[in-house]
Amino acid sequence: MKRLLEVRDVSRHFGGNAAVDHVSLDVFDGEAVGLIGSNGAGKTTLFRMIAGELALSGGRIEFDATSLPHRPDQRARLGIARTFQIVQLFGGLSVLDHLLVALQAHEGRQGPMRDVLWKGSSTPEEEQRCLETLRLCGLSDVADAPATALGLGERRAVELARALVVRPRLLLADEPSSGLDAHEAARLARVIALARRETGLAVLLVEHDLHMVEAIAERVIAMDAGRVIAQGTFDAVLHDESVIASWLGRSA
Amino acid sequence: MGVFFGYVLASIPYGCAFSLVAVGLVLTYRATGVFNFAFAAEAYAATVVYSELISHGVQRGWAAAIVVCVIAPVFGALLDFGLFSRIAPGNRTAKTIMALGLTVILPQIVETAVPSNPPVPPAPFFSTSFIPVWRIGGDPVFGSAICEVAGTILVLIGLVLLLRTRRFGLPIRAAVESPKLLELSGVDARWVLRFAWMISTALAAVAGVLYQVGSGATVDPQNYDLLLVVSIAAAALAGLRNLPIAALGGVLLGLAEGLVQGYVPSSSIWYPALVPSLPFLFLLVLLIFHPTLRHLEDTIDPMASIEPPPPVPAVAMRPPIVDRTIRRMRWPFLGVVVFGVILFVPADWTEALTEGAALSIVFLSITLLTGLAGQLSLAQWMFAGIGAFTTAQLAENRHWPILLAALAGALVAGVAGLVAALPALRLRGLPVALLTLCLALLGDDLLFPTSWVSNGTSGVPVPRPSSIFGIDFSSVDSEGFFVLTVVVMIAVAGIVHLLLRGTTGRALTAVHASPIGASSSGVQIRRMTILVFMLSASIAGLGGAFYAMNQQTVSQDSFVYYFGPIYLVVVVTIGATTVEGAITAGMAFALINNALMNVPQSVGGTQLHSTALTVILLSLGAFTYAKHPEGIVEYAKRRLAKTVFRAVEHNDHPLVSAEDSA
Ligand SMILES: Nc1ncnc2c1ncn2[C@@H]1O[C@H](COP(=O)(O)OP(=O)(O)OP(=O)(O)O)[C@@H](O)[C@H]1O
Ligand SMILES: [Mg+2]
């Protein structure tokens, strides 16, 4: 398998406080990796650096064996998609429009010049692809509804659909199940599994829900206080001494 | 030494006023989340009240000043009670629009209510004010200067004492630190906000009176430009959060202004250009580089993350039947209007309608930038001016055909738009409004008065085209030009409509709702922002060119900066999310203005007041913006559609749904 994402010695300080501290990890093509760790371990910070939202204090990140461009939108167009811990939807747009925005941006078919030259309406192929993704995510019935009016489970599904519609190579999913009930979480897990089977995308999944991690991830990385403390199979990591110590330490 | 002190002394009234206003700005911004653009208007109104009191029987200046100090907080409380407290705490745009509305309306109301501003400077506080009290190195120190310094220090000390009290001060200080904390602590926040408004209105009033009396000039709203810019700069220097820095910054900027004005010899080529522009440039630099301001809209409250911010109210989507009806009706409607005008309307009304069409073009640029991209630009009227002056100069001095010159004007305005777009890339929300306000003031005070732009006071003639594509309409001048302007307006409206409904509209809605969500989806925010800014500026420039052609001349008074905020408020009020909104606004403005202008003198109509009244009429709706951010035209259409739709649905359900699926 080819290495898709390579994170080497990456750090990020906020003031004097190291939120991410010399972290190295790899994600291989088509692989699903779970990233677990207690609150404040630095998981979201790491995601933000991979996505280009936050500058690195040190280290380097490579994607597909080349260094990444700076801005988040450039990285998105290279095939890094993400969902957010706090859902980031577009108030005022319908569910279908969420996918169209992402798809047209990805294909470079977006902007004033296009619209003025009368090429602004969405093509049948674009709509077709959006509808397919909506079906995959179980959102066909609400395609024309304003997305922000949906329930949390569906809003998380919209975010996932928006990420998946461009057929990304790497999906960064930040706690997709947070705030959902077991049923909704299981549905999202199924969607991710289906998408992986169809497009062979790689997934880096931050999750507190260990069932979901077990269901999706082939490999697990545990972080604590900004450092990677263990990695390996799900069982191996859960039985790792430092992981247990860190959890017990937190709950004591 | 003596000269230095002379300059320092001369700058005292300014420094004091800047300092007070800056403190008031920071205080309201932090406590209520409103950047009170209206403070300059409040200061002006207070000064007018002061002079009116004196000319109507209150003999002593100090007595009038005390009366003003009593009225002002009451007015502030009323503002909060009637307007600002009615807006949900998180809705910053609505608050900004409302504050702008107030800025626009207040001076107009004052001018309408007090038609003949006394042409003499308002009386000083004491009749002995201009007697030198003592001398420093040969320079006389007047009683008035001492009054001002003492007054400012007293007010600031009073404020400090007030903020130290448990009952009044503690909640306000808490609000300044963290509105969230205040809310969580269970204090009645409404009351605190009202109190903050009272204080800041009082500060604005005191500053206005000090400024005016100290400068010894006649009362004129224009004099408040400098107060506006420098106080904003002082508040910006304080990062809109630190009260002592704001106070100190005001004094220092006043001093700096005085020293520069004193030391740069008035004969030097720098004097006319550089000296007045310094505060603008300073503010510009601050806005672009001050770290706190760059992230102003992100988080200002250390406790804000305790709860996620309230969701932005989802604007109801437009029922499809509205779109369909408009699509069917617009061409017949336009045809009827155009032919009606050509056949039946007298010439002066045709010109008013043409002006309406030209204004509509400018307003469409606001639709693009504010309605679509969500950027509050106060400089669109300046871009219109750039388009107009370029057109006029090219036609007059280079003898370009006028329509070609107008296109060139649009291009030049577009390039000017780039200048505004680049800093706007790093900023969002309020700082963009401040930045564009600053640019608009620069244009008005520096660019347009220069002789190579406007030929001094005489202005530049602008010819109207007399033929196009071989169609000669010189014999029916006003009708021909009307049709041409309407055609251009329709073309521009078509372009804006394509952008609204196309990929740009969708993407910019996304960016506006969630910038990180949009950029993580691959939307090229920077590129799109720049393009939309430039396109919007060139549309404004084109509109300005047609406006000037209709006037047949353009002078330095044709594009006064404060029409930037006025038009923004008018368009947003009437509807910034559709092209119909902009066109309705443009036509309504020109027609109401013309109607009021035609009111006979005996009933009290004069030109000044017709514009003032138009502005008041059309922007009163700013106060409904919080409830109907889509604008009143759009709101009315949706209501109507709902009613019609319901009626149709009842009688004839299958027909409607068959049409819906078609
Ligand atoms: N913008 C920021 N400024 C300052 N500190 C920050 C910032 N973002 C994150 N931190 C700090 O960095 C640390 C890691 O935060 P991060 O959000 O990455 O944790 P996390 O692993 O995602 O936790 P959670 O499970 O709660 O989402 C925390 O201590 C947090 O307070
Ligand atoms: Mg997190």
Side-chain angles (χ1 to χ4, degrees):
Chain A
M1 256 192 302
K2 219 172 83 194
R3 185 186 284 145
L4 185 63
L5 178 76
E6 181 180 4
V7 175
R8 278 291 160 273
D9 253 348
V10 164
S11 304
R12 171 71 208 202
H13 307 279
F14 291 111
N17 173 14
V20 169
D21 194 6
H22 295 283
V23 165
S24 298
L25 59 84
D26 296 309
V27 178
F28 291 90
D29 232 348
E31 187 190 27
V33 178
L35 189 58
I36 61 173
S38 44
N39 292 106
K43 306 174 299 279
T44 300
T45 307
L46 184 63
F47 265 27
R48 295 181 63 200
M49 288 190 286
I50 299 173
E53 288 156 24
L54 207 59
L56 315 186
S57 306
R60 65 189 166 85
I61 299 178
E62 287 188 356
F63 185 70
D64 215 5
T66 47
S67 59
L68 281 165
H70 278 291
R71 292 199 317 268
D73 58 294
Q74 296 170 314
R75 296 189 183 182
R77 275 175 277 125
L78 278 183
I80 300 182
R82 77 167 287 196
T83 70
F84 295 85
Q85 190 168 355
I86 298 168
V87 185
Q88 295 289 334
L89 291 184
F90 305 142
L93 289 189
S94 73
V95 171
L96 180 64
D97 280 346
H98 275 71
L99 306 208
L100 275 176
V101 167
L103 186 58
Q104 289 172 335
H106 191 258
E107 316 266 289
R109 288 203 296 260
Q110 189 171 61
M113 289 310 147
R114 254 196 118 66
D115 294 331
V116 172
L117 297 176
W118 223 286
K119 293 179 193 155
S121 44
S122 46
T123 63
E125 298 87 68
E126 282 168 357
E127 299 206 355
Q128 186 56 37
R129 193 149 144 203
C130 292
L131 290 176
E132 270 168 26
T133 311
L134 286 179
R135 196 169 327 118
L136 176 78
C137 300
L139 291 168
S140 302
D141 294 341
V142 291
D144 292 320
T148 38
L150 303 174
L152 182 62
E154 278 171 322
R155 276 185 284 149
R156 289 214 180 268
V158 173
E159 245 198 356
L160 186 59
R162 181 182 69 193
L164 290 178
V165 71
V166 301
R167 304 209 178 119
R169 301 182 57 196
L170 174 66
L171 172 69
L172 306 171
D174 198 350
E175 301 198 21
S177 82
S178 105
L180 304 190
D181 62 31
H183 175 73
E184 289 171 318
R187 230 180 57 185
L188 280 193
R190 261 201 312 280
V191 171
I192 294 177
L194 269 176
R196 285 189 60 210
R197 203 172 313 144
E198 273 183 24
T199 63
L201 100 147
V203 179
L204 188 57
L205 171 77
V206 166
E207 205 28 275
H208 284 301
D209 175 359
L210 293 180
H211 293 296
M212 190 157 180
V213 176
E214 191 175 14
I216 295 176
E218 294 144 1
R219 190 154 65 84
V220 175
I221 298 173
M223 281 181 75
D224 185 50
R227 294 167 170 277
V228 172
I229 53 172
Q231 48 182 317
T233 63
F234 184 76
D235 288 325
V237 167
L238 282 208
H239 292 109
D240 186 281
E241 265 169 37
S242 51
V243 173
I244 295 171
S246 104
W247 279 350
L248 289 181
R250 299 277 147 163
S251 56
Chain B
M1 195 63 179
V3 181
F4 178 79
F5 268 111
Y7 296 148
V8 170
L9 288 176
S11 64
I12 280 177
Y14 300 100
C16 292
F18 298 151
S19 163
L20 290 177
V21 174
V23 168
L25 272 178
V26 173
L27 194 70
T28 12
Y29 181 73
R30 296 292 302 182
T32 69
V34 181
F35 188 86
N36 189 13
F37 281 98
F39 70 90
E42 288 169 355
Y44 164 67
T47 322
V48 172
V49 171
Y50 175 83
S51 352
E52 283 295 298
L53 281 173
I54 289 178
S55 60
H56 286 91
V58 180
Q59 297 295 327
R60 318 234 178 270
W62 58 266
I66 289 177
V67 176
V68 168
C69 288
V70 173
I71 299 178
V74 176
F75 183 66
L78 283 178
L79 283 185
D80 181 59
F81 171 73
L83 303 175
F84 291 100
S85 65
R86 319 248 149 192
I87 305 180
N91 196 346
R92 285 220 194 116
T93 314
K95 287 178 181 166
T96 307
I97 292 281
M98 192 177 278
L100 277 175
L102 204 60
T103 318
V104 164
I105 291 182
L106 203 53
Q108 311 283 355
I109 290 181
V110 170
E111 273 174 41
T112 315
V114 188
S116 54
N117 272 335
V120 290
F125 301 129
F126 298 102
S127 49
T128 54
S129 278
F130 291 112
I131 297 173
V133 179
W134 75 77
R135 287 171 186 279
I136 300 178
D139 286 298
V141 177
F142 293 112
S144 61
I146 295 179
C147 270
E148 273 140 20
V149 176
T152 307
I153 292 177
L154 271 182
V155 170
L156 288 179
I157 289 179
L159 190 65
V160 170
L161 290 180
L162 195 67
L163 288 180
R164 274 170 182 263
T165 59
R166 219 182 147 69
R167 188 113 191 259
F168 300 99
L170 198 62
I172 290 208
R173 271 184 297 151
V176 169
E177 272 318 307
S178 161
K180 191 92 206 176
L181 181 64
L182 183 69
E183 212 177 281
L184 296 176
S185 72
V187 177
D188 185 356
R190 273 175 316 172
W191 184 85
V192 177
L193 298 191
R194 187 148 308 152
F195 195 57
W197 273 105
M198 292 171 69
I199 296 181
S200 82
T201 312
L203 285 174
V206 173
V209 174
L210 283 183
Y211 181 69
Q212 191 69 55
V213 173
S215 69
T218 53
V219 183
D220 177 351
Q222 236 88 317
N223 291 345
Y224 289 81
D225 291 5
L226 191 68
L227 182 66
L228 188 71
V229 174
V230 182
S231 317
I232 292 179
L237 192 66
L240 283 178
R241 68 183 307 152
N242 190 324
L243 291 174
I245 292 190
L248 201 66
V251 172
L252 289 181
L253 287 177
L255 261 179
E257 177 76 13
L259 290 179
V260 170
Q261 229 162 50
Y263 277 112
V264 177
S266 57
S267 58
S268 97
I269 48 163
W270 290 105
Y271 192 82
L274 188 68
V275 171
S277 67
L278 274 178
F280 300 97
L281 296 177
F282 182 68
L283 177 57
L284 213 58
V285 170
L286 269 183
L287 282 173
I288 297 172
F289 294 108
H290 198 296
T292 320
L293 294 178
R294 275 175 55 199
H295 302 288
L296 197 61
E297 304 280 287
D298 303 352
T299 52
I300 50 163
D301 187 343
M303 305 285 283
S305 59
I306 291 216
E307 271 168 52
V312 185
V315 176
M317 295 212 184
R318 186 147 94 158
I321 190 169
V322 179
D323 288 320
R324 273 202 308 274
T325 317
I326 292 170
R327 214 176 300 138
R328 274 187 214 142
M329 298 300 291
R330 60 188 170 194
W331 294 114
F333 179 76
L334 262 171
V336 169
V337 170
V338 170
F339 278 103
V341 169
I342 294 173
L343 294 177
F344 304 114
V345 172
D348 67 321
W349 279 94
T350 308
E351 301 221 334
L353 282 161
T354 314
E355 181 178 314
L359 275 182
S360 299
I361 299 176
V362 178
F363 289 3
L364 282 163
S365 80
I366 298 176
T367 307
L368 191 57
L369 200 57
T370 304
L372 184 63
Q375 303 267 24
L376 288 179
S377 162
L378 304 178
Q380 297 307 100
W381 194 234
M382 185 211 49
F383 293 135
I386 289 181
F389 281 114
T390 311
T391 309
Q393 290 292 352
L394 286 176
E396 173 74 7
N397 293 328
R398 314 258 156 196
H399 310 291
W400 285 31
I402 184 71
L403 288 178
L404 191 64
L407 278 183
L411 280 182
V412 172
V415 174
L418 181 65
V419 176
L422 290 179
L425 281 182
R426 309 180 58 164
L427 304 168
R428 280 191 77 75
L430 178 64
V432 175
L434 294 179
L435 177 96
T436 47
L437 178 67
C438 190
L439 285 179
L441 279 161
L442 263 177
D444 193 7
D445 288 355
L446 287 174
L447 186 61
F448 296 161
T450 34
S451 58
W452 53 268
V453 174
S454 58
N455 292 0
T457 46
S458 57
V460 193
V462 189
R464 288 180 187 172
S466 54
S467 72
I468 181 171
F469 301 133
I471 308 168
D472 188 333
F473 47 80
S474 48
S475 57
V476 282
D477 183 43
S478 56
E479 284 81 7
F481 185 62
F482 168 70
V483 174
L484 178 68
T485 312
V486 168
V487 169
V488 172
M489 176 191 85
I490 291 173
V492 172
I495 290 178
V496 172
H497 183 80
L498 284 176
L499 292 169
L500 285 173
R501 296 278 164 267
T503 59
T504 313
R506 217 180 285 123
L508 285 176
T509 311
V511 172
H512 191 43
S514 164
I516 47 170
S519 62
S520 81
S521 301
V523 177
Q524 304 187 42
I525 301 182
R526 298 161 63 92
R527 192 172 142 248
M528 210 161 324
T529 307
I530 292 182
L531 280 174
V532 167
F533 249 101
M534 291 180 70
L535 204 57
S536 162
S538 43
I539 289 175
L542 191 67
F546 275 84
Y547 181 86
M549 285 183 230
N550 190 46
Q551 305 271 320
Q552 297 184 305
T553 170
V554 52
S555 70
Q556 60 180 24
D557 304 324
S558 308
F559 293 91
V560 185
Y561 86 90
Y562 57 77
F563 276 93
I566 288 179
Y567 289 151
L568 176 71
V569 169
V570 169
V571 174
V572 167
T573 301
I574 294 188
T577 53
T578 56
V579 295
E580 304 99 76
I583 295 175
T584 314
M587 289 296 176
F589 200 95
L591 293 182
I592 294 178
N593 197 4
N594 199 43
L596 290 174
M597 216 141 63
N598 286 342
V599 174
Q601 291 279 338
S602 53
V603 200
T606 67
Q607 186 164 353
L608 173 79
H609 296 151
S610 73
T611 310
L613 280 175
T614 314
V615 171
I616 294 174
L617 269 179
L618 286 178
S619 46
L620 275 180
F623 307 132
T624 67
Y625 176 81
K627 273 212 188 96
H628 306 299
E630 71 274 26
I632 42 187
V633 166
E634 194 62 14
Y635 173 67
K637 274 191 308 199
R638 285 179 195 173
R639 283 289 304 263
L640 191 69
K642 219 186 235 169
T643 322
V644 173
F645 193 66
R646 238 181 243 143
V648 176
E649 203 174 34
H650 263 275
N651 299 338
D652 217 1
H653 193 76
L655 206 155
V656 174
S657 42
E659 227 202 75
D660 266 344
S661 55

